[in-house]
Amino acid sequence: MRDILPPETSRWQWVESVAREVFDLYGYQEIRLPLLERTELFARSIGADTDIVAKEMYTFPDRKGDSLTLRPEATASVLRAVLENRLEKGAGVKKFFTLGPMFRYERPQKGRFRQFYQINCEAFGVEAPELDVEVILLLMHILKRLLPGELRLLVNSLGCPGCQVKFKAALGLFLINREGLCEDCQRRRTTNPLRVLDCKSAHCQEILQDAPVMRDYLCPDCAAHFARVLELLDRFNVAYELKPKLVRGLDYYTRTAFEVAAVGLGAQDAVAGGGRYNGLAKELGGPDLPAIGFAIGEDRLLEVLPLNFGQDHRPRVFVAALGEPARERAFTVIQELRRKNLAAEMDFEGRSLKAQMSLADRLNAAYVVIVGDKELAAGVAQVRPMKKFSYETGGKVKLTEVGAGRTLVKQEPVPFEDLMDYLTGKIRSEETH
RNA sequence: GUGGGCGUAGCUCAGUUGGCAGAGCACCGGGUUGUGGCCCCGGCGGUCGCGGGUUCAAGUCCCGUCGUUCACCCCA
C-alpha cells in the first residue's frame, strides 16, 4: 500500500482530466461505483479458476456474515450496476467510464501494486465490429494525448464460446503429448490450456511453434467480425500487431481482445487491456447483452509519463510584507487576488524580506508584491517580476551568472488601487503567449 | 504462494578486521540593518526499521520480525 503525494498528484489529475475530456468527445458518461461488492459477483464473472479469484482477492465477512470483496477489477461492478439500474434499456449503445482504485492481494513489484488505479471504459448493447473499433480508437486517442512515446497495440480474436470449445479441444490434444513443457505449463495444460500460449519460457514458445492457432478455429460469424475490425483499424491508420497468442486473464472475454504495451515498464509492460465480453451479462442473470470495454493501468501510465508532463505551471503572486501593518495589508491583498482567480501566497511568520523572496522563488511565484512602511506611506507597492535570470539593476545582487543573454527586468511601483488590474493584466498576457 | 536485494538525518547514500554516527542535497541563519536563483561561512537535524542474542564493546556478527524493492506465477 502506498500514498500518492504532491507533486505527483497533479500528474494524476492531469491524466484523469485528459481522459475525461476524451471520454466526453466519444459520448461516455461517468459512473461511480462502490469499492466493495458481494464476493459472489467476482467469483461468477471473472472465473473461479483464474488467479484473481483463486488467490488475489481481498475477501472478508461483514458484520452480518456476508462475504464481501474489495473489487479486483471494475467490469463486473459496472455490469452489475447497469443491470441493477436497468441502464441497458432503450435504443442505441450505452457508454460509461469509471475510474478509481482496484485491489489485488499479490506481491508488489515494478508497475504492480496491491491498490492500483484503473480508468475503465465499458460500452453495452451493440454487437457491431464498428463499436469494437470505436472503443480502440478511443483508447488510443487518450493514450496518444498523454504519451509521446511509441505504443504497441496488440489484437486478437478469442471467438465465441463455440469457437473456444473447439479450439481448447484442439490445443489440449496438441499439448497432451508434448514433452519438455515448463512446470507451470504442465499444470496449465489441464487447468487453463489457453494460458500456455503466452508462457514466457523460450522453450515453451519453441514447442508452441506449430500449435493450433485460434484464428483457424473461428466460426464464420466470428471470423467476419474480426476481419471487419482489422479492416477498419487499417482504414483509420491505427498501427496494430496481430498476436494470435494473446489471451486474457479473465474468463469472460469473447471475440476481440487487445492490449497496449509501453516500453520502460519492466516485466509488467501492459498499460491497457480490454476486449469484448458478450456473455457476461447473461452469466450474471441478466439479458443477452453485448459488451466491450478496456482498462487503463493508471499507475503504469504515470510510470512511463515524462516527469514534466502534467505539472502545475499556474502563475502565482507572492506578497512580501515587512512589519505588522504591512502584513495586515498583505493579507487583504492576497485574498483580493484569490477572489480575482489568481493564486496568491504570503508569509505568516514575520521572516526577513530575503527569506520571503527565497520562499517566493521556491513557490514558483511569477510576481512578488513588496509592501513595507514606505509603500504603505506612499500608497504604492513594489511589483517585482520573478522570471529566471531577471534582476533589479539597483539591487545588491552578486549573482555570478548575471551577464550574457539575461534580460533586465526592473520592479515597478504600482499604486495599491491599481494592483489588481495590473497583475491580472500582466498574468493574462503572459498566459496567452 | 516462491526466490533474491535493500532498510543509517527530510532525500540520496558512505560507514574499514566489531572501537566516539558521517557526506552531499534540502532546511534555518549570516555575509547584503528592504530584495529570490550563483558563491562563501555557520547552524539545526539520527530510538542506525523493530525485538531478542553473542561480546568489555554491535550500524557492523547471529536469530526472529516488520517494511520496501526486483523477479517468478498472474495481471492493469
Side-chain angles (χ1 to χ4, degrees):
Chain A
M1 300 297 180
R2 77 213 195 278
D3 304 310
I4 300 168
L5 307 168
E8 193 61 16
T9 36
S10 70
R11 290 155 53 71
W12 285 74
Q13 287 168 8
W14 180 68
V15 164
E16 288 167 14
S17 71
V18 168
R20 285 174 191 284
E21 229 179 281
V22 180
F23 275 126
D24 183 55
L25 290 175
Y26 287 77
Y28 284 75
Q29 291 179 297
E30 181 178 11
I31 53 175
R32 300 198 181 199
L33 302 166
L35 270 48
L36 281 171
E37 299 276 0
R38 302 182 57 127
T39 303
E40 214 210 11
L41 174 68
F42 301 119
R44 284 177 63 186
S45 61
I46 297 170
D49 291 336
T50 60
D51 275 33
I52 292 179
V53 172
K55 62 174 193 184
E56 294 176 0
M57 295 203 304
Y58 277 94
T59 297
F60 53 89
D62 70 3
R63 285 166 180 276
K64 196 179 150 196
D66 291 342
S67 181
L68 300 183
T69 293
L70 282 164
R71 61 180 185 188
E73 58 118 29
T75 299
S77 301
V78 174
L79 193 48
R80 191 226 78 231
V82 165
L83 297 177
E84 252 177 48
N85 297 286
R86 299 270 180 272
L87 300 179
E88 82 282 9
K89 296 286 182 191
V93 58
K94 305 293 176 304
K95 302 169 168 180
F96 306 102
F97 76 92
T98 189
L99 73 184
M102 310 295 156
F103 304 84
R104 289 183 202 171
Y105 190 86
E106 47 188 347
R107 294 286 285 271
Q109 69 188 69
K110 191 174 182 63
R112 182 160 73 198
F113 311 94
R114 285 183 166 179
Q115 175 171 340
F116 61 103
Y117 294 77
Q118 285 189 344
I119 299 171
N120 280 267
C121 160
E122 318 285 348
F124 302 95
V126 170
E127 207 151 359
E130 283 75 9
L131 180 62
D132 301 41
V133 172
E134 189 187 72
V135 165
I136 293 175
L137 287 170
L138 162 58
L139 171 60
M140 298 311 282
H141 197 145
I142 293 174
L143 294 178
K144 282 189 173 147
R145 283 270 312 263
L146 295 169
L147 293 175
E150 283 295 306
L151 295 165
R152 296 171 57 213
L153 170 66
L154 312 171
V155 294
N156 192 23
S157 176
L158 302 178
C160 59
C163 310
Q164 288 183 13
V165 167
K166 277 187 280 178
F167 177 63
K168 276 182 195 165
L171 185 61
L173 212 63
F174 170 84
L175 290 173
I176 201 157
N177 43 23
R178 300 289 143 170
E179 301 291 326
L181 287 170
C182 71
E183 231 174 89
D184 290 317
C185 285
Q186 290 186 30
R187 175 176 47 78
R188 285 190 282 233
R189 181 154 58 180
T190 48
T191 56
N192 195 352
L194 286 181
R195 293 238 63 93
V196 177
L197 288 179
D198 65 0
C199 178
K200 290 191 182 75
S201 148
H203 187 58
C204 289
Q205 284 304 324
E206 207 174 300
I207 295 173
L208 290 167
Q209 282 293 326
D210 39 38
V213 175
M214 183 74 225
R215 208 170 172 179
D216 299 333
Y217 289 81
L218 294 180
C219 64
D221 280 356
C222 287
H225 187 273
F226 192 43
R228 176 68 174 153
V229 167
L230 298 183
E231 180 197 333
L232 285 168
L233 287 177
D234 286 333
R235 187 194 295 174
F236 285 104
N237 287 317
V238 179
Y240 62 86
E241 298 168 38
L242 280 179
K243 192 182 173 194
K245 290 179 178 138
L246 174 72
V247 297
R248 307 210 19 95
L250 295 77
D251 281 356
Y252 53 60
Y253 283 112
T254 57
R255 292 195 165 173
T256 313
F258 53 92
E259 216 169 271
V260 179
V263 289
L265 273 175
Q268 318 298 330
D269 68 347
V271 287
R276 265 203 178 269
Y277 48 98
N278 288 344
L280 186 55
K282 204 163 193 176
E283 191 78 16
L284 294 177
D288 203 347
L289 182 67
I292 180 167
F294 64 76
I296 296 174
E298 213 177 340
D299 315 76
R300 292 181 185 179
L301 188 63
L302 267 295
E303 190 87 26
V304 289
L305 203 67
L307 276 176
N308 56 331
F309 277 46
Q311 294 293 2
D312 180 20
H313 295 303
R314 187 167 193 207
R316 279 175 186 278
V317 175
F318 189 95
V319 181
L322 290 155
E324 190 50 41
R327 276 201 294 278
E328 289 287 317
R329 186 58 181 271
F331 203 176
T332 65
V333 170
I334 62 169
Q335 270 312 108
E336 259 182 276
L337 287 166
R338 290 162 174 169
R339 274 198 294 268
K340 295 273 184 195
N341 213 25
L342 292 182
E345 275 302 330
M346 68 174 288
D347 161 62
F348 288 150
E349 293 172 287
R351 299 147 83 111
S352 69
L353 182 57
K354 180 186 165 78
Q356 293 186 61
M357 293 301 295
S358 163
L359 195 55
D361 190 48
R362 262 173 291 159
L363 291 171
N364 245 314
Y367 292 89
V368 174
V369 175
I370 299 167
V371 187
D373 294 339
K374 277 188 284 186
E375 285 74 18
L376 287 180
V380 173
Q382 295 291 331
V383 177
R384 179 181 176 83
M386 295 290 280
K387 289 181 189 130
K388 288 287 180 225
F389 308 123
S390 71
Y391 68 102
E392 189 216 349
T393 44
K396 313 167 190 172
V397 174
K398 275 188 193 164
L399 193 64
T400 55
E401 288 180 26
V402 169
R406 313 287 189 237
T407 11
L408 306 186
V409 183
K410 289 184 185 176
Q411 59 192 44
E412 286 191 73
V414 179
F416 282 111
E417 57 267 30
D418 301 339
L419 204 49
M420 294 304 132
D421 291 342
Y422 179 87
L423 287 169
T424 48
K426 281 278 187 191
I427 288 173
R428 295 247 165 80
S429 77
E430 278 168 27
E431 274 176 340
T432 55
H433 285 132

